[in-house]
Amino acid sequence: MTKVFIIGLPRTGTTSVSVALLEQGYKVAHQAFTKQAFELADVISDAPCFSDYRQLDKQFPGAKFVYLDRSLDTWVPSMQMLLSRMLVHLDDKTGRFNPILKRSFNHSFGVNRLDNPMDTEHLIHCYRTHSSQVFDYFKGRDDLLSIDISEPGSLSKLINFLESDNDSIDSNILDQGFPHLNKGRNVASWDEYRHPNKVSANVAGPENRKYFDYKLADQPSNLYFNN
């Protein structure tokens, strides 16, 4: 089937969307750091999709992309909470997180180039820059959907976008909306969720845990980090 990339930033509902699509029968990787994870999953969300959508667009011709919007009033404090937990593990030299995850966060948030990457104005800038770059890149195309999962009907819009050629979509399921996960300070809902369609971010394949060899070009947002 067509690959689907969820390219909203962290804390915009990537986990809720991932779980909802698991329940719709899709194989989903919430984050993917190996070629094999991308091959096995129908849907890939979060890192590195939000930073690498240009490269993934070329890597997977015909893929569909979903941008997740969220009010800045709620996104900023949620992102600050997430970074407060993650920063120590995102350090280029000593952090324990996967190098692809580190690169993705550093590219989009400059986490290792600022004294205070949790600064409110900085995060607002990152959010708005990411949004404008996404819509500039996909301008005039029909393979991008933008939704806010808090809005009624957003799940219906998503499923209809992904299955535009399916005339047998169950409208009763679509009326239920997205599950509300990762509430408050909970950031482990995906790991705790059990489902046979889950694809591990680090699953090994014929090339072990090798990732794609593309490079990320500097984006305009990076100029801000160096000021």
Side-chain angles (χ1 to χ4, degrees):
M1 64 163 291
T2 300
K3 293 292 181 186
V4 179
F5 299 109
I6 311 300
I7 60 175
L9 291 174
R11 309 306 290 183
T12 58
T14 60
T15 305
S16 295
V17 170
S18 296
V19 169
L21 293 179
L22 281 176
E23 296 296 341
Q24 293 295 313
Y26 293 89
K27 295 179 180 178
V28 182
H30 184 264
Q31 302 184 346
F33 306 131
T34 69
K35 285 185 177 182
Q36 187 69 357
F38 277 87
E39 292 299 326
L40 293 177
D42 304 319
V43 179
I44 304 94
S45 65
D46 207 273
C49 300
F50 62 80
S51 61
D52 295 23
Y53 57 88
R54 298 171 181 82
Q55 290 75 19
L56 294 172
D57 183 31
K58 295 178 175 62
Q59 198 78 38
F60 295 92
K64 292 186 176 182
F65 296 81
V66 180
Y67 173 80
L68 303 180
D69 197 9
R70 185 179 180 183
S71 166
L72 283 170
D73 290 343
T74 57
W75 179 80
V76 170
S78 184
M79 193 66 200
Q80 289 170 328
M81 179 278 296
L82 180 66
L83 287 175
S84 71
R85 294 185 172 192
M86 293 183 66
L87 280 178
V88 65
H89 305 301
L90 289 169
D91 184 88
D92 284 334
K93 296 181 179 179
T94 62
R96 66 175 178 83
F97 283 158
N98 186 285
I100 301 299
L101 178 62
K102 293 181 184 180
R103 173 184 58 68
S104 198
F105 268 76
N106 201 43
H107 183 268
S108 296
F109 300 105
V111 292
N112 292 312
R113 286 174 278 172
L114 291 174
D115 292 334
N116 181 19
M118 294 191 295
D119 174 72
T120 296
E121 291 305 315
H122 168 67
L123 290 177
I124 290 173
H125 172 84
C126 292
Y127 186 96
R128 288 175 172 167
T129 297
H130 176 259
S131 178
S132 64
Q133 289 177 350
V134 165
F135 288 109
D136 284 347
Y137 181 80
F138 288 97
K139 185 177 181 179
R141 295 171 49 167
D142 61 1
D143 51 359
L144 173 74
L145 172 72
S146 175
I147 58 173
D148 181 334
I149 69 167
S150 68
E151 295 181 351
S154 55
L155 179 56
S156 179
K157 289 180 182 178
L158 175 60
I159 299 302
N160 280 296
F161 173 69
L162 301 185
E163 303 186 17
S164 56
D165 57 348
N166 186 351
D167 295 328
S168 60
I169 299 174
D170 187 344
S171 60
N172 292 325
I173 294 176
L174 301 185
D175 289 340
Q176 296 174 7
F178 290 98
H180 189 185
L181 304 175
N182 273 341
K183 298 178 183 178
R185 298 186 64 80
N186 183 10
V187 296
S189 291
W190 179 254
D191 292 338
E192 298 164 359
Y193 192 79
R194 298 289 180 261
H195 198 286
N197 286 345
K198 285 180 65 172
V199 176
S200 170
N202 296 296
V203 62
E207 299 181 76
N208 297 312
R209 288 187 168 86
K210 186 175 181 181
Y211 190 71
F212 304 110
D213 59 2
Y214 62 70
K215 303 295 182 183
L216 294 189
D218 285 339
Q219 303 300 332
S221 59
N222 289 348
L223 300 177
Y224 176 83
F225 303 147
N226 296 322
N227 288 344

